[in-house]
Amino acid sequence: MGMTITEKILAAHAGRDSVQPGENIWVDVDILMTHDVCGPGTIGIFEREFGKDAKVFDPDRVVIIPDHYIFTANEQAHRNIDILRAFVKKHGLKYYYDPDFLKAEGMPSPYADPKRTSYKGVCHIALPEEGHTRPGEILLGTDSHTCTAGAFGQFATGIGNTDAGFVLGTGKTWLKVPPTMRFIFEGELPPYMMAKDMILAIIGDIGVDGATYRAMHFDGDGVARLTMEDRMTLCNMVIEAGGKNGLVTPDELTREYVLERVTRAGTPQAMTFHDNDPDAQFIFEKAYNLDTLEPMVAKPHSPDNKATVSEVKGTKLTRAYIGSCTGGKISDFVAAARLLKGTEVRIPTFVVPASTEVDAALDTEQVDGTPLRKVFQDAGTIIGPASCAACLGGPADTLGRLNKADEVCISATNRNFPGRMGHKQAQVYLASPLTVAASAIRGVITDPRELIGSFV
Amino acid sequence: MEKTIRGKAFVVGNNIDTDQIIPAEHLVYNPSDPEERKMFGRYALCGVPPADSGLPEGNIPFTRENEYKSDYKIVIGGKNFGCGSSREHAPLAMAEAGATVVIAEFFARIFFRNCINGGYLVPYETPESLIEKVATGDDVEVDLQQNRLINHTRGTETRLTPLGDVLPILEAGNVFEYARKAGMLE
């Protein structure tokens, strides 16, 4: 019987010719990633179970990327970075991206130059940038959005500290082979739409539990035509439908993108390109036509609380936020800047690049000859340093955190369950960076098509 | 594993995500530090909006203010319990507060896995939702051998879905003990 890409990758890593959905198998893990929030717990479990002097399974396959609670005065958060530093030193880990500006108590001054810091920012964006994502591999990370890397044709999923502690010592884990759901997009993404609208449409259709224990494969011409960053947005939010992993069939675009980054970083270059067999079994299939999809939002307080932007337009907002692993890539800021150029925002608007590479690119990428950073400055937005920042609330002093009950925020991030960005009563509308930018300009939820002049 | 677990039930709704189970601001504590670990018990389920906390009445905190332990041993939710992030702090926080069993119509995958592999909570699924059949404070008993929930307050009995192939890991204690028994770890 034919296999899906997910089944092929898992079979290859279990030393098997084939696997079937529902089977529990032990697999070899290629890369294990952790960060400052789950790293200390993972390290504690590793040392408890394997001993203080135990060695990690492979120091070149462990990637540690502090990103969550960096720009805070919280002393435990700082202490957690020190735990990572000590572990990295003890085990001689090569792939650690230290917030080198974090030296003293209190709120740290951010890096002076994003190009001259070892700090990278949000792990899911830093992983591909630093050459740790490759087609055919298994990537596990102590963060639910690890599924982002499915965009590169690999199996990538989030795990807890115990699982990560186990992998750290053995390089192995058990996985239940998921059945695959297939979402086929035909047509071309219109200029007022982004991949965020595509995934919000899917989550709205299948629900926040619609893909529980399943793989989500994004297929069709409409997906093949997407940039790598758009593919990352799709795979990033499979967890919001309960999905185990997301996948896009790797192609020449994937090869070029990955090769450029692994070459730059000096990381392994071997890639394995799998495709779904013609007779592969899918547990669910749904087709979308990109020509007829509309800009989408997820209303408070659930990512599946779907509406078209036109259905909620005019909703009064107190804040707008563009950032995170979902909406903080350079393509997200290019899109936002196309609308923000020459205008001013009416509500506090936060621009938080996911990574220091994205931050640096705000100076090199331009819209009509103006660097993005200047566009955002002129528009009156608040630009923060690269981090997860307010996407998940975090400590009370986190930039952009919704600390008040009456905040109504439109956000390019990924989750809007109660309290996600701070206060339990605060309302969060999830939308594409384009829709967030359009809404920031008007102060109410706004369909980007209303500012269509920018696209002509 | 014990054969039966009896205690007070705490009932919440559908889609209780990990930010409600343990809000992100509290993730600064290191679960590997015994003193800091207690803080997770203090804040377990504190992110659930008050009206939805302790159904059907609501406005009942899982752990009372400034306490570290909860009065409730068995947590009952609806669909998709534990959705959201991969933070293992979520089952850990509930266990640290004193919960031993969590029952839901079904669980989000990573939360379920963390319950099992970390040996924090016994995660039982049910053929139908129990959130309208059990009230917060009910005296309930989980029979792990016969996979049923006995509600002593109401005199009712409900089937729980057998734990299936994860049972050996729960019985071993956690994934490490399981792997040692299976000869995979020294």
Side-chain angles (χ1 to χ4, degrees):
Chain A
M1 199 176 70
M3 288 195 290
T4 66
I5 295 178
T6 292
E7 289 153 18
K8 287 182 183 180
I9 295 172
L10 294 180
H13 286 76
R16 303 249 307 254
D17 292 332
S18 68
V19 295
Q20 292 201 1
E23 276 188 87
N24 287 316
I25 55 169
W26 286 89
V27 295
D28 293 320
V29 176
D30 292 301
I31 300 285
L32 173 72
M33 187 282 301
T34 190
H35 51 47
D36 55 305
V37 164
C38 293
T42 297
I43 290 166
I45 289 168
F46 168 76
E47 291 182 346
R48 181 190 78 200
E49 296 292 337
F50 296 101
K52 290 262 180 206
D53 298 324
K55 292 199 163 28
V56 301
F57 78 107
D58 183 342
D60 289 349
R61 292 180 182 274
V62 178
V63 179
I64 301 187
I65 309 179
D67 58 358
H68 275 62
Y69 301 158
I70 308 300
F71 301 103
T72 171
N74 185 287
E75 55 187 88
Q76 280 100 358
H78 290 201
R79 183 276 320 271
N80 289 344
I81 303 296
D82 287 336
I83 292 174
L84 299 182
R85 286 170 172 162
F87 188 77
V88 165
K89 198 169 167 203
K90 181 175 172 184
H91 292 270
L93 303 184
K94 206 181 336 179
Y95 302 119
Y96 168 64
Y97 304 97
D98 189 55
D100 46 12
F101 45 84
L102 192 69
K103 291 174 182 151
E105 289 177 14
M107 178 66 81
S109 302
Y111 46 85
D113 180 346
K115 293 193 292 296
R116 293 174 193 276
T117 170
S118 52
Y119 175 68
K120 297 299 171 191
V122 178
C123 56
H124 311 298
I125 305 307
L127 276 167
E129 286 174 352
E130 298 306 311
H132 301 299
T133 57
R134 279 169 291 270
E137 290 197 348
I138 291 183
L139 164 73
L140 299 181
T142 59
D143 191 289
S144 62
H145 291 109
T146 304
C147 53
T148 310
F152 303 100
Q154 62 184 118
F155 179 90
T157 194
I159 55 172
N161 297 353
T162 296
D163 276 340
F166 193 97
V167 176
L168 207 45
T170 65
K172 291 178 189 299
T173 195
W174 69 270
L175 292 171
K176 187 188 278 286
V177 180
T180 298
M181 302 170 85
R182 189 190 202 188
F183 300 88
I184 304 157
F185 285 90
E186 299 299 343
E188 197 151 357
L189 204 56
Y192 51 85
M193 299 266 298
M194 300 184 74
K196 180 68 172 284
D197 298 298
M198 297 163 68
I199 190 67
L200 285 177
I202 290 175
I203 297 165
D205 287 344
I206 67 172
V208 286
D209 54 13
T212 299
Y213 263 94
R214 293 172 172 185
M216 296 172 74
H217 189 99
F218 304 102
D219 214 351
D221 294 351
V223 172
R225 273 197 283 266
L226 292 180
T227 64
M228 288 311 300
E229 294 194 333
D230 280 338
R231 296 178 189 183
M232 288 167 72
T233 307
L234 288 181
C235 292
N236 172 272
M237 285 188 70
V238 304
I239 183 64
E240 270 59 70
K244 183 171 200 159
N245 64 303
L247 259 175
V248 174
T249 308
D251 56 14
E252 266 314 299
L253 186 66
T254 319
R255 186 194 303 278
E256 281 173 30
Y257 188 97
V258 169
L259 192 61
E260 186 186 331
R261 284 154 183 82
V262 295
T263 304
R264 187 176 69 186
T267 50
Q269 299 194 356
M271 303 177 216
T272 309
F273 286 70
H274 294 290
D275 201 350
N276 294 321
D277 285 330
D279 56 343
Q281 302 286 309
F282 298 98
I283 195 167
F284 173 95
E285 282 195 338
K286 188 168 172 70
Y288 292 85
N289 191 330
L290 286 172
D291 302 321
T292 56
L293 269 188
E294 286 196 50
M296 305 294 302
V297 296
K299 295 181 286 184
H301 293 280
S302 184
D304 63 0
N305 197 6
K306 174 174 93 159
T308 62
V309 173
S310 55
E311 285 169 339
V312 291
K313 71 175 185 182
T315 304
K316 247 178 110 53
L317 300 164
T318 63
R319 182 175 290 198
Y321 188 95
I322 307 174
S324 83
C325 55
T326 313
K329 304 178 291 302
I330 192 63
S331 55
D332 297 314
F333 294 115
V334 169
R338 275 156 54 203
L339 286 185
L340 287 168
K341 183 160 190 294
T343 63
E344 276 183 40
V345 295
R346 284 214 192 153
I347 47 176
T349 299
F350 294 83
V351 167
V352 184
S355 68
T356 47
E357 184 172 316
V358 174
D359 195 345
L362 295 181
D363 295 313
T364 52
E365 291 289 326
Q366 301 185 343
V367 172
D368 300 335
T370 309
L372 299 193
R373 195 181 306 279
K374 182 151 183 8
V375 170
F376 292 134
Q377 283 165 346
D378 291 349
T381 70
I382 300 150
I383 306 174
S387 166
C388 300
C391 172
L392 78 163
D397 57 357
T398 301
L399 180 77
R401 188 180 192 274
L402 305 182
N403 287 329
K404 292 192 309 210
D406 57 359
E407 295 280 7
V408 184
C409 179
I410 190 158
S411 180
T413 57
N414 45 57
R415 271 183 206 137
N416 61 347
F417 291 116
R420 169 68 177 178
M421 293 185 73
H423 200 285
K424 277 187 257 191
Q425 264 99 49
Q427 298 186 54
V428 177
Y429 287 82
L430 303 177
S432 78
L434 268 178
T435 300
V436 174
S439 304
I441 293 166
R442 297 261 175 97
V444 296
I445 295 182
T446 302
D447 193 316
R449 283 173 290 188
E450 291 181 28
L451 301 159
I452 195 77
S454 318
F455 296 110
V456 176
Chain B
M1 254 164 75
E2 298 170 71
K3 290 174 183 164
T4 61
I5 295 166
R6 185 167 177 175
K8 280 207 242 177
F10 188 82
V11 183
V12 290
N14 293 323
N15 298 318
I16 298 298
D17 81 305
T18 54
D19 279 292
Q20 294 178 70
I21 299 171
I22 183 76
E25 64 192 292
H26 305 304
L27 301 182
V28 294
Y29 301 112
N30 181 1
S32 302
D33 179 302
E35 280 306 305
E36 289 186 31
R37 191 179 175 105
K38 289 182 192 165
M39 299 304 282
F40 292 109
R42 169 169 288 188
Y43 296 119
L45 287 164
C46 78
V48 178
D52 305 323
S53 181
L55 296 174
E57 285 177 22
N59 293 305
I60 304 170
F62 180 63
T63 303
R64 275 185 294 223
E65 207 173 337
N66 298 324
E67 298 282 329
Y68 293 97
K69 293 286 177 190
S70 170
D71 298 335
Y72 305 96
K73 210 166 181 179
I74 294 155
V75 174
I76 296 177
K79 295 179 198 291
N80 206 26
F81 191 95
C83 59
S85 89
S86 65
R87 67 188 70 152
E88 191 161 309
H89 314 69
L92 182 149
M94 291 167 60
E96 198 59 31
T100 52
V101 180
V102 55
I103 302 173
E105 210 175 325
F106 60 90
F107 293 96
R109 185 188 71 83
I110 308 175
F111 178 87
F112 182 75
R113 205 180 152 91
N114 287 341
C115 285
I116 306 280
N117 282 352
Y120 298 103
L121 299 165
V122 179
Y124 260 119
E125 297 189 332
T126 54
E128 53 183 322
S129 177
L130 295 185
I131 58 179
E132 284 171 6
K133 297 185 172 168
V134 182
T136 296
D138 280 3
D139 172 18
V140 296
E141 184 173 359
V142 175
D143 179 342
L144 290 138
Q145 289 195 309
Q146 303 206 23
N147 299 305
R148 55 186 185 150
L149 178 78
I150 305 152
N151 188 330
H152 292 289
T153 303
R154 283 154 209 274
T156 57
E157 220 181 274
T158 321
R159 265 189 319 126
L160 304 172
T161 307
L163 293 158
D165 47 15
V166 298
L167 183 61
I169 303 178
L170 281 170
E171 283 179 333
N174 61 35
V175 71
F176 293 98
E177 293 307 319
Y178 171 78
R180 284 191 186 99
K181 280 190 180 167
M184 293 183 59
L185 285 183
E186 285 169 13

